[in-house]
Amino acid sequence: MKSGRLHKVHFTMTSLGRGQYRIEAEYKGRYVETQSTDSEAYDFLDDESDMERHKDALRHCYNKIREEYESHK
């Protein structure tokens, strides 16, 4: 499990195997869970050796959380 934080939202990303990843967070007071197939986001979520890819990974997770939240309003 890897974790990150963007725009005051703390989230975790867990590998489920076979290129599937679960992203979990509390967003606007509600638990949000979504899935992703972006292995690069998982690889660079906690790797700051390439800051551009690291920031892209954080944005990917945050956007997936926001999309999931908006789809269940």
Side-chain angles (χ1 to χ4, degrees):
M1 178 182 346
K2 298 184 178 190
S3 63
R5 183 179 181 94
L6 186 65
H7 302 300
K8 299 182 182 179
V9 177
H10 180 266
F11 49 84
T12 60
M13 189 174 196
T14 307
S15 175
L16 303 175
R18 296 186 174 256
Q20 297 289 318
Y21 304 92
R22 179 185 313 125
I23 303 169
E24 299 173 273
E26 186 168 321
Y27 183 73
K28 295 187 178 183
R30 193 170 81 196
Y31 172 77
V32 178
E33 179 181 323
T34 187
Q35 289 196 353
S36 175
T37 57
D38 190 336
S39 62
E40 192 168 292
Y42 183 77
D43 293 341
F44 285 96
L45 188 59
D46 62 354
D47 182 357
E48 296 181 2
S49 65
D50 185 333
M51 285 306 289
E52 185 175 335
R53 286 182 170 175
H54 173 68
K55 289 177 183 178
D56 286 345
L58 293 172
R59 281 191 293 268
H60 171 77
C61 291
Y62 179 80
N63 288 336
K64 293 289 284 184
I65 291 163
R66 197 179 78 229
E67 288 169 12
E68 183 68 19
Y69 176 85
E70 294 296 326
S71 72
H72 289 93
K73 268 188 163 178

